[in-house]
Amino acid sequence: MKAPASWIREYVDLPADVTTEDLTARLTALGLKLEAIESASAGITGPLVVGKVLTMEPEPQKNGKTINWCTVDVGDANGTGEPQGIVCGAHNFAPGDLVVVILPGGVLPGNFQISARKTYGHLSAGMICSARELGLGEDHDGIIVLPADAGAPGTDAFDVLGLREEVIEFEINPDRAYALSLRGIAREAALAYDAPYRDPADRDVPSPNDAGYPVVIDDPVGCPMFVARKVTGFDPAAPTPDWMATRLQQAGMRPISLAVDVTNYVMLETGRPIHGYDADKLQGPIRVRRATEGETLTTLDGALRTLSTEDLVVTDDSGIIGLGGVMGGETTEMSETTTNVLVEAAHWDATSMFRTGKRHRISSEAGKRNERGVDPVITPAAADRVVELLTTYGGGTADPGVTVVGTAPERPEITISYDLPARVSGMDIDAATTVTNLEAVGCALVKEDTTLTATPPPWRPDLNDPFDLVEEVARIVGYDNVPSVLPREAAGRGLTREQRLRRRVGRTLAGAGCVEVISFPFVGDAAFDALGLPADDPLRTTVRLANPLSSEEPSYTTTLLPGLLKAAARNLGRGASGVSLFETGTVAFPVDRGPAPIYGVDWRPSEDELAKLLEALPEQPLHLAVVLAGERERAGWWGEGREAGWADAIGLVRRLGTELGVEIEVVSTSRAPWHPGRCAQVRLAGVEFGHAGELHPKVCAAFGLPARSAAVEIDLDFLMRHTRDVTPGPDFSTYPQAKEDVALVVAADVTAADVEAALREGAGDLLESIRLFDVYTSEQLGADKKSLAFALRFRAPDRTLTEEETAGARDAAVALAAERTGAVQRS
Amino acid sequence: MSGPNTDYDPVEVTPLKPEEVEAARDAAVAAIAAAADLADLKQVRIDHAGDRSPLALANREIGALPPQARKEAGQRIGQARGAVNQALAARQEVLEAEHEERMLVEETVDVTLPTDRVPAGARHPITTGSELIADIFVAMGWEVAEGPVIEAEWLNFDALNLGPDHPARTMQDTFWTEPAENHLVLRTHTSPVQARTMLTRQPPIYVVCPGRVFRTDEYDATHSPVFHQVEGLAIDEGITMANLKGTLDHFAAQMFGEGISTRFRPSYFPFTEPSAEVDLVCFVCRGSGTLDGASCRTCRGEGWIEWGGCGVVNPRVLAACGVDAERYTGFAFGMGIDRTLMFRQGIEDLRELFEGDIRFTTAFGSEL
């Protein structure tokens, strides 16, 4: 909302020394936030003066144009008192007219420096200005011709043109619709300075009578009040007075015609949107009702709109003539030939206004006010003000008929205890202050012993609850007076175990050289295709968005890999020789358990209702993904570097298991987007929770990554859930360790994990640890064989093991490995 | 092994003569002193203290002496061998020390060589920033609450007094899942976590809710459709706006340094009443609006930075979440984590947070 400072001061007697900066600081503290202060003279530097055209000689030019060589009296402003010679291209003036002249040394908006210069064979000393050149509007048809009483030649033109004006732009919160008017802003200014206030809507209004235009309201909920007034014999060619056009422009509205400008002006002044009809185009009585489904209306903007039963419409005998409170219809629109105007000032139900505006995607100044709530009581006064301005500036007469149908809705009474503002705000606010401040915002109060009952003023539809009144009292006392007091100490339980583990996971990966990334969780088929996911892959079943940012990525992602792979490629593209990235983030899998219910808000839903709500949500596990691409270890004086590979990826998962105190099992598997022979399924207690390994060569190529890039994606929630709350302390022996190494030959496709598991089980309780320390293949062994060497370490809790015991355990281990995996011990 | 030869006639045994023993001892001590390094000394030890050394051989001859002569000879040999061993040990110690010193000199390396074989990792500043914030509140006895990002419309809007006709519920601001009749949204704020907390716990409640949120904003230097928020909620007996101010002042000072406080401006949020915007004293110019004679760039000369929104929890929200509004009051606040970090760390472009460029992230290390 833009408000010229002088317009505000018209309704409130502010002390003379209050600057616009002071005023806006106080209003900001009250809740009308300053966006910007614009000076109307922005970009203009004087001398800018009133000039009187003495002579003008038209001089046709070779280029077909005719210029006027003028002499202009600028008084003493040029220092000599002599007439100023100026070339002017416009023709809309005559000798004797008063015009606006900028003299050499002045600057116009756009840093246009004015100097005396030779042009069209004359020395042109300055410029006669148009409205556009001064930044006062788009009018460039001709120069500004001032009224004859504008001032003597040489008078400073800043004042004449209102260029000293400062225009304040406020950010108005949706609850303070009353401040979308000068009436409301001035009221706040009066509150801020405790200054006298004149309500522009406080006027003597002629009483309603039966002689007015007939109006019937069929839906008093949607339209509680409708006022109609008529002006006849209006001159459609009458110009809008300059002061009004200037104010409209300063407030951000474009002057159009007197009739339209007056309705806009009164809307800015009072906050009440007004609609004008060409009275001669109306047929029969006006009726306000809800539309029936499928009815149509062509609105003022030329759009054909199909209406619904929620839309409020204004009709006459011809049918629908307007979308009530939102936009008028084409058939009864005022035009340049309109001489009889019917003025509509109506009060509309705010919710209906919002829904209609939203449904038809109409955003207008009128709609903005109607949907946030307008003072209903001033409806007749606003109509009367329109009639006054129309007849004053456009001639014609006010028809004696005054139609007022319906009444302003009643305001609710709100009862609070006197100390509620103090109890809620924590400020020292006594009962007297509460009373004073509520009266200052316009509440009518009934005071009891411990409570008071407030009836909010009609311009404050936002005040409905006790706490609304608390805010009013508190903002006037001033939020700066709220003391700073910490709440009492709470006995908190600290971070949850899961929160601590998540930090642990991040630190572990960062410690292993991985850099965390946050990517947008949106995904589309292109990414799934690049990952090589088969058509029926469960990852392709997504939660889709109704209004995605991009139709290419219409879903919430089911995998973190696409974002990470793209980030890896971006880093390599920017010159990194290798990159290790990780991300922890939510992925989503749809569930088909029906819609989430919408409950009321007056009481808490039952446990069953809550459960039903939560059940409808998609599965949203926290995933962890890692991508390793290019150099994992750098080359250096220590020797060669090393590219990332499958073992790094699986190693990171195992490392996480160690950090979180769980035993992770690794099983070989095949799954996109991994290399079919280099993919591990990782499990906990036999349950899969993710994959790790080398990426499929096609996937590397699709994402522009080097071959052998590796990746991990696991369900981190699952992993964290399976950690132990309390880890028991280990029970270990200090008796001597016995060492046995065995080398076993197995078929090439037997996994190390299977052999190890058999050895572990066969060795029994005496086995302390087992570790694979060599894998060996050779021609002698045969192409389909490999040798796995394990270091077995034995120890007993209560004694030193004998050689026989150790050998026995070793032999049992080898025997079980032979039975399970066909292993043969190498001699 | 044979027993002593008692019939043996005592005769002179040459190697056991005192002068012979002394000569062998002196030769040994001289050789020990002459040993230049540990290898020399090893040979000297074999020659003069080994099994075939003169003193060892002489010792064997003791048995040949008549019993009455053995004691004296034994003592003589013993003393000599003791002296040799002592000399050996002393020399060993000296040579070892010399050796070690030489080795340490020889093993000198250039410690300025690079050691970054595996490049350093880092955690994202949004993560560490969220943890920093969480820790500030945990230290006050608060807890960290979390919830899903795809949320029920009722929890994201209705329960927070954003009625069906609230402008925020339009498609312009909110991501909806398909079909829209399922009433699921990508949460537009972390406030549904507050609602969940009130629905499942009894006061006193002191929770802070950091998390990822979504709005259909254009992606530019200061806006992102995906961003991060932290909200706080306190519900207890006797909670006032003063407690809100105290909490936010403490938060600001912990986050930005002592002396950085907040101010409130009246505002409007459906879930709080009274509501306020929170401004933060600009921590760059410390509220003066100027820096080195020029207008402060961080706060554009205003001395204050817009930080977030806050207020007293609207009793309507308490009712929808089953909190006894007669007994309890509460306050809530919320601010952008991304925006807070942009101020705190001097990040110019929001998009840097989401590009995944390791040069950006590693600059922050793993703690803020």
Side-chain angles (χ1 to χ4, degrees):
Chain A
M1 173 75 194
K2 287 181 166 185
S6 72
W7 200 353
I8 298 174
R9 286 172 183 264
E10 204 173 305
Y11 310 130
V12 54
D13 294 333
L14 295 179
D17 59 350
V18 171
T19 65
T20 301
E21 282 73 18
D22 296 338
L23 173 63
T24 54
R26 294 255 190 127
L27 289 177
T28 296
L30 276 176
L32 306 190
K33 197 199 166 215
L34 172 68
E35 276 285 291
I37 299 174
E38 287 168 22
S39 167
S41 63
I44 308 177
T45 314
L48 186 75
V49 298
V50 174
K52 183 171 190 171
V53 180
L54 299 176
T55 63
M56 61 186 285
E57 311 258 348
E59 295 181 357
Q61 302 294 315
K62 283 180 213 149
N63 62 9
K65 277 209 257 179
T66 298
I67 60 104
N68 290 301
W69 169 239
C70 308
T71 54
V72 184
D73 177 5
V74 294
D76 291 329
N78 55 6
T80 65
E82 293 298 313
Q84 198 82 356
I86 300 175
V87 170
C88 182
H91 304 280
N92 65 323
F93 63 102
D97 280 350
L98 293 182
V99 295
V100 180
V101 177
I102 187 152
L103 295 170
V107 182
L108 288 179
N111 198 24
F112 180 23
Q113 314 259 351
I114 305 299
S115 57
R117 63 192 180 100
K118 205 128 191 225
T119 180
Y120 295 112
H122 297 282
L123 184 69
S124 182
M127 198 168 106
I128 303 175
C129 302
S130 72
R132 192 166 77 179
E133 284 156 351
L134 289 169
L136 295 179
E138 290 308 302
D139 192 352
H140 198 52
D141 292 343
I143 52 97
I144 297 173
V145 178
L146 296 168
D149 59 355
T155 305
D156 186 299
F158 281 92
D159 287 323
V160 173
L161 293 169
L163 291 173
R164 301 271 181 229
E165 185 70 88
E166 286 180 299
V167 178
I168 308 166
E169 184 174 1
F170 294 101
E171 182 187 317
I172 304 297
N173 287 318
D175 60 331
R176 300 195 182 278
Y178 65 96
L180 292 172
S181 68
L182 271 299
R183 177 185 188 231
I185 292 171
R187 192 189 300 280
E188 293 287 297
L191 197 57
Y193 289 91
D194 197 16
Y197 170 70
R198 277 180 307 284
D199 184 349
D202 182 10
R203 55 190 290 125
D204 289 329
V205 179
S207 304
N209 54 47
D210 294 336
Y213 200 90
V215 173
V216 180
I217 299 174
D218 285 346
D219 189 331
V221 172
C223 179
M225 192 180 198
F226 196 113
V227 175
R229 296 285 300 276
K230 197 167 168 186
V231 172
T232 53
F234 170 81
D235 173 10
T240 300
D242 286 341
W243 63 266
M244 187 186 288
T246 301
R247 280 188 167 175
L248 287 173
Q249 275 170 345
Q250 288 169 342
M253 301 191 87
R254 198 162 54 93
I256 293 164
S257 67
L258 177 61
V260 172
D261 293 349
V262 163
T263 59
N264 283 336
Y265 185 83
V266 172
M267 176 179 73
L268 291 171
E269 184 178 84
T270 64
R272 161 58 69 205
I274 307 280
H275 185 66
Y277 299 92
D278 184 331
D280 296 332
K281 295 178 186 168
L282 289 170
Q283 299 171 31
I286 282 177
R287 187 175 280 272
V288 180
R289 60 168 170 86
R290 300 274 172 177
T292 53
E293 194 71 37
E295 280 187 295
T296 59
L297 168 70
T298 302
T299 42
L300 280 178
D301 56 1
L304 177 69
R305 302 184 184 273
T306 304
L307 308 178
S308 97
T309 54
E310 280 192 68
D311 293 324
L312 282 160
V313 292
V314 182
T315 67
D316 69 359
D317 289 349
S318 71
I320 299 175
I321 56 171
L323 206 44
V326 176
M327 195 177 271
E330 222 173 27
T331 57
T332 55
E333 185 179 4
M334 292 189 295
S335 71
E336 61 275 17
T337 60
T338 300
T339 55
N340 299 319
V341 178
L342 186 78
V343 176
E344 168 206 300
H347 187 66
W348 305 93
D349 169 55
T351 302
S352 297
M353 294 298 102
F354 174 76
R355 290 184 183 165
T356 293
K358 187 170 137 186
R359 184 176 308 112
H360 297 290
R361 293 170 197 270
I362 298 174
S363 163
S364 67
E365 290 292 323
K368 187 161 88 182
R369 287 166 177 80
N370 279 329
E371 72 187 36
R372 294 179 189 199
V374 181
D375 182 349
V377 171
I378 60 157
T379 310
D384 192 57
R385 174 72 166 147
V386 171
V387 170
E388 180 201 357
L389 290 172
L390 284 178
T391 53
T392 304
Y393 296 100
T397 51
D399 189 279
V402 176
T403 303
V404 177
V405 181
T407 52
E410 293 286 312
R411 293 310 325 276
E413 292 183 339
I414 310 166
T415 300
I416 62 169
S417 63
Y418 288 99
D419 67 345
L420 187 68
R423 274 196 285 128
V424 172
S425 70
M427 288 190 279
D428 199 6
I429 298 173
D430 59 19
T433 305
T434 297
V435 167
T436 308
N437 290 356
L438 288 178
E439 283 173 344
V441 296
C443 290
L445 302 182
V446 176
K447 289 166 253 178
E448 317 268 345
D449 281 351
T450 56
T451 62
L452 61 85
T453 298
T455 305
W459 60 86
R460 293 299 301 272
D462 58 308
L463 302 182
N464 298 297
D465 291 336
F467 278 42
D468 296 337
L469 298 185
V470 171
E471 179 172 279
E472 291 305 303
V473 174
R475 77 184 176 103
I476 298 171
V477 173
Y479 279 12
D480 286 345
N481 297 314
V482 175
S484 187
V485 181
L486 280 170
R488 68 170 190 173
E489 278 178 41
R493 293 172 293 192
L495 294 179
T496 64
R497 176 175 170 74
E498 191 198 294
Q499 286 158 356
R500 282 184 285 120
L501 288 178
R502 224 182 296 147
R503 293 182 175 195
R504 182 78 254 161
V505 167
R507 290 191 185 123
T508 299
L509 288 164
C514 300
V515 178
E516 188 176 15
V517 164
I518 293 178
S519 9
F520 287 2
F522 305 122
V523 76
D525 284 339
F528 292 140
D529 293 344
L531 290 176
L533 301 184
D536 61 348
D537 194 296
L539 293 181
R540 286 187 184 263
T541 306
T542 59
V543 175
R544 293 177 67 92
L545 300 180
N547 53 337
L549 279 182
S550 148
S551 55
E552 308 289 306
E553 294 186 330
S555 296
Y556 202 95
T557 196
T558 51
T559 162
L560 300 177
L561 287 177
L564 272 184
L565 292 167
K566 285 177 202 166
R570 193 174 301 132
N571 276 288
L572 295 173
R574 290 177 181 178
S577 53
V579 64
S580 304
L581 302 178
F582 77 99
E583 177 164 14
T584 55
T586 302
V587 299
F589 299 103
V591 296
D592 194 11
R593 291 194 285 257
I598 298 285
Y599 300 122
V601 293
D602 294 336
W603 57 82
R604 181 188 187 279
S606 70
E607 291 302 329
D608 283 352
E609 286 172 326
L610 265 188
K612 194 155 183 285
L613 189 82
L614 300 181
E615 201 169 78
L617 295 177
E619 304 283 346
Q620 296 173 66
L622 187 70
H623 271 202
L624 165 72
V626 184
V627 167
L628 310 165
E631 203 174 58
R632 173 80 176 134
E633 288 176 15
R634 292 178 174 139
W637 55 268
W638 50 74
E640 302 255 299
R642 191 175 63 76
E643 298 282 303
W646 62 270
D648 295 299
I650 297 169
L652 283 173
V653 183
R654 287 204 168 105
R655 172 82 179 274
L656 278 179
T658 310
E659 292 279 348
L660 301 188
V662 294
E663 193 129 337
I664 288 174
E665 303 139 39
V666 172
V667 177
S668 94
T669 190
S670 292
R671 203 238 182 279
W674 283 274
H675 184 307
R678 297 183 171 198
C679 176
Q681 183 191 72
V682 288
R683 298 177 172 182
L684 270 177
V687 182
E688 173 203 317
F689 70 98
H691 295 86
E694 184 179 308
L695 288 167
H696 195 289
K698 282 185 181 154
V699 175
C700 294
F703 283 93
L705 293 174
R708 311 246 173 263
S709 292
V712 175
E713 181 154 19
I714 62 169
D715 182 339
L716 190 58
D717 274 340
F718 180 91
L719 178 60
M720 293 191 299
R721 235 180 1 254
H722 287 77
T723 59
R724 281 177 293 196
D725 281 345
V726 177
T727 304
D731 199 4
F732 56 82
S733 160
T734 53
Y735 284 92
Q737 185 187 56
K739 301 178 181 181
E740 290 281 350
D741 291 349
V742 297
L744 301 176
V745 176
V746 292
D749 61 352
V750 171
T751 66
D754 285 345
V755 179
E756 184 185 310
L759 286 171
R760 189 184 288 276
E761 190 182 329
D765 291 342
L766 293 178
L767 184 74
E768 183 176 72
S769 71
I770 179 168
R771 185 165 182 278
L772 176 87
F773 67 90
D774 192 29
V775 180
Y776 171 76
T777 54
S778 75
E779 279 179 29
Q780 280 166 304
L781 282 176
D784 56 347
K785 293 268 197 282
K786 63 184 172 188
S787 166
L788 305 174
F790 291 90
L792 284 69
R793 299 292 176 261
F794 297 94
R795 207 186 313 245
D798 54 352
R799 63 188 189 281
T800 300
L801 289 173
T802 63
E803 278 183 34
E804 291 73 26
E805 280 179 302
T806 306
R810 178 201 62 206
D811 292 344
V814 171
L816 193 63
E819 183 191 324
R820 294 258 177 92
T821 68
V824 176
Q825 189 165 13
R826 279 176 85 200
S827 43
Chain B
M1 212 44 164
S2 56
N5 183 358
T6 49
D7 301 332
Y8 191 74
D9 191 39
V11 289
E12 283 276 294
V13 178
T14 310
L16 290 172
K17 284 182 182 167
E19 54 274 26
E20 288 295 330
V21 172
E22 275 166 31
R25 182 198 65 199
D26 291 348
V29 169
I32 288 166
D37 55 28
L38 289 169
D40 277 358
L41 190 65
K42 194 175 173 187
Q43 190 56 50
V44 171
R45 187 188 298 277
I46 292 165
D47 294 346
H48 295 278
D51 289 348
R52 319 255 342 133
S53 64
L55 286 174
L57 295 174
N59 195 47
R60 288 194 199 162
E61 299 299 330
I62 289 173
L65 291 180
Q68 60 274 32
R70 285 180 197 163
K71 187 180 174 192
E72 193 197 337
Q75 275 176 354
R76 194 154 54 234
I77 294 290
Q79 279 168 3
R81 295 180 85 178
V84 170
N85 284 336
Q86 213 170 2
L88 272 172
R91 187 65 184 152
Q92 176 83 21
E93 199 175 317
V94 168
L95 290 177
E96 272 179 1
E98 277 178 16
H99 175 74
E100 188 174 74
E101 205 170 318
R102 199 164 51 246
M103 283 301 293
L104 291 178
V105 169
E106 284 169 6
E107 288 175 359
T108 298
V109 296
D110 178 0
V111 295
T112 68
L113 288 172
T115 56
D116 52 346
R117 191 165 184 153
V118 176
R123 293 198 302 151
H124 198 281
I126 295 278
T127 305
T128 49
S130 301
E131 290 175 2
L132 175 62
I133 292 167
D135 288 345
I136 290 169
F137 282 92
V138 167
M140 287 193 277
W142 292 46
E143 291 168 22
V144 180
E146 290 159 310
V149 290
I150 302 177
E151 186 57 282
E153 180 183 357
W154 187 83
L155 283 166
N156 193 73
F157 291 125
D158 300 70
L160 302 164
N161 197 34
L162 283 93
D165 293 312
H166 194 275
R169 289 176 85 142
T170 61
M171 291 280 261
Q172 276 79 52
D173 291 318
T174 304
F175 287 109
W176 296 79
T177 72
E178 210 170 52
E181 303 79 64
N182 269 1
H183 301 301
L184 298 175
V185 299
L186 304 195
R187 65 181 181 192
T188 58
H189 42 197
T190 51
S191 314
V193 183
Q194 300 185 21
R196 283 166 172 267
T197 306
M198 286 187 275
L199 284 162
T200 53
R201 285 180 58 173
Q202 288 304 308
I205 291 170
Y206 292 89
V207 292
V208 66
C209 321
R212 184 180 291 194
V213 299
F214 303 83
R215 306 240 176 113
T216 56
D217 277 336
E218 291 291 319
Y219 190 36
D220 62 30
T222 53
H223 299 86
S224 169
V226 181
F227 59 105
H228 300 80
Q229 242 189 6
V230 59
E231 296 192 19
L233 172 74
I235 308 274
D236 206 342
E237 289 175 353
I239 286 284
T240 70
M241 278 179 90
N243 298 141
L244 170 60
K245 183 82 164 58
T247 302
L248 289 174
D249 280 342
H250 180 74
F251 179 23
Q254 292 292 299
M255 197 72 191
F256 294 98
E258 284 304 319
I260 302 299
S261 59
T262 64
R263 79 169 174 192
F264 288 173
R265 278 183 290 112
S267 189
Y268 172 74
F269 305 107
F271 35 91
T272 51
E273 186 76 35
S275 301
E277 298 275 351
V278 193
D279 295 340
L280 185 72
V281 169
C282 176
F283 66 96
V284 175
C285 64
R286 300 195 77 80
S288 69
T290 56
L291 197 65
D292 303 331
S295 180
C296 175
R297 282 177 61 206
T298 306
C299 63
R300 296 200 201 87
E302 289 181 23
W304 295 92
I305 295 169
E306 287 184 33
W307 198 21
C310 67
V312 173
V313 179
N314 193 318
R316 288 168 184 257
V317 173
L318 297 181
C321 295
V323 174
D324 179 357
E326 294 295 314
R327 181 171 169 197
Y328 297 106
T329 49
F331 68 73
F333 61 85
M335 54 274 301
I337 295 175
D338 320 60
R339 187 175 155 76
T340 301
L341 292 180
M342 284 176 78
F343 288 138
R344 190 175 186 270
Q345 319 297 140
I347 299 165
E348 299 277 334
D349 191 326
L350 178 64
R351 288 169 291 198
E352 289 176 356
L353 292 165
F354 305 111
E355 289 246 297
D357 193 314
I358 56 175
R359 293 168 301 172
F360 174 79
T361 310
T362 48
F364 299 98
S366 272
E367 284 295 342
L368 279 184

